[in-house]
Amino acid sequence: MPTAVADLKLKSLPLTGLKCPTGKRSDRNHAAVPLGIGADRSFREKGRRHRTRMLKHANRAAELIGTLPGPDESIQVLIAATIDGWAWVDATIQLAGGIKTLYIATLGFNDRNADALITAIDNGKIGRVEMIASTYYAATPDSIYPQLAEALRSRGMRIAAPRNHAKILACKLPNGRTVTYHGSANLRSCRNVEQVAIEGSSRVFRFYRDYITDAIDAAGNA
């Protein structure tokens, strides 16, 4: 018979004297880092058309999207642990022939996606990058944030690490149109279901672009 909760006779845990394993409180350590946003922001847009997709087995994000959404269209996607956030950048480059300006907000990223970003810049597939990652990720011992920051800045790009948990890819395309991806996926692999909204609205693009650029300004490109 399964043990009932009442039969376990759990003892309360004494909290006096407990310390963080690192000896520091990360929330206090990073409290002085700017948020990059002075107040909550929102806007409403009516009359949108929607497509939906559930991705369980697909090797290429471009095949899932099919065509990039139009100005009055959005695509809602569920990803079953098969695609990370960088796949949307690759898909946009494939479908649009490149990205003029890419605005990125992420919690963290991995070596592969950092290399792919620099390669895309050097190959002329991405013209300009403005990026924020999380201050928590940037401060972890195994973070490659310093290396990516140096690589981006040496190419004239901007990057900062404010207190960010948003995941955004806002793309200005060569033809002047925009596409924006926002959801739960970071620029690194994940074994969980993730969701993303793919928006063709220029207003959605400007909304998220302004957050990212304001956050970089507030952090001082640190």
Side-chain angles (χ1 to χ4, degrees):
M1 293 292 292
T3 303
V5 173
D7 295 332
L8 292 177
K9 298 180 180 179
L10 296 175
K11 296 181 180 180
S12 61
L13 176 66
L15 301 180
T16 304
L18 284 182
K19 298 181 180 180
C20 178
T22 62
K24 299 179 180 179
R25 283 285 302 276
S26 59
D27 54 346
R28 292 177 181 173
N29 294 340
H30 298 281
V33 177
L35 281 172
I37 183 171
D40 295 341
R41 305 183 185 189
S42 67
F43 78 95
R44 178 177 296 180
E45 192 165 40
K46 297 182 179 179
R48 308 296 306 285
R49 294 189 296 120
H50 294 273
R51 283 187 267 159
T52 60
R53 297 285 189 274
M54 180 173 289
L55 177 62
K56 291 186 178 180
H57 302 288
N59 295 323
R60 297 171 59 198
E63 294 176 354
L64 173 68
I65 299 172
T67 58
L68 293 172
D72 63 343
E73 188 176 26
S74 69
I75 307 172
Q76 310 298 322
V77 180
L78 287 173
I79 306 164
T82 57
I83 288 180
D84 65 27
W86 183 257
W88 306 117
V89 179
D90 282 339
T92 304
I93 291 172
Q94 179 179 337
L95 295 172
I99 299 173
K100 184 177 181 179
T101 309
L102 174 61
Y103 300 89
I104 301 172
T106 184
L107 178 69
F109 48 87
N110 58 24
D111 295 22
R112 179 175 58 83
N113 289 334
D115 289 342
L117 175 59
I118 296 302
T119 299
I121 295 170
D122 291 346
N123 290 344
K125 297 298 185 181
I126 298 175
R128 178 161 184 80
V129 172
E130 303 257 300
M131 179 175 182
I132 58 175
S134 168
T135 182
Y136 298 98
Y137 169 75
T140 57
D142 60 346
S143 170
I144 61 168
Y145 177 87
Q147 294 93 319
L148 180 59
E150 180 180 357
L152 286 174
R153 289 172 183 153
S154 69
R155 290 163 172 78
M157 313 300 170
R158 296 205 306 163
I159 183 172
R163 287 158 56 197
N164 174 72
H165 201 268
K167 292 88 175 179
I168 303 160
L169 297 166
C171 310
K172 184 79 170 181
L173 305 181
N175 64 2
R177 286 179 53 188
T178 64
V179 61
T180 304
Y181 304 82
H182 56 97
S184 61
N186 285 295
L187 295 187
R188 59 192 308 165
S189 60
C190 180
R191 298 181 183 275
N192 300 299
V193 171
E194 305 280 3
Q195 100 281 356
V196 63
I198 309 172
E199 311 270 4
S201 166
S202 60
R203 291 185 66 204
V204 173
F205 167 82
R206 291 192 299 269
F207 178 75
Y208 287 119
R209 175 204 64 189
D210 290 351
Y211 161 61
I212 292 168
T213 57
D214 288 351
I216 295 174
D217 291 342
N221 200 28

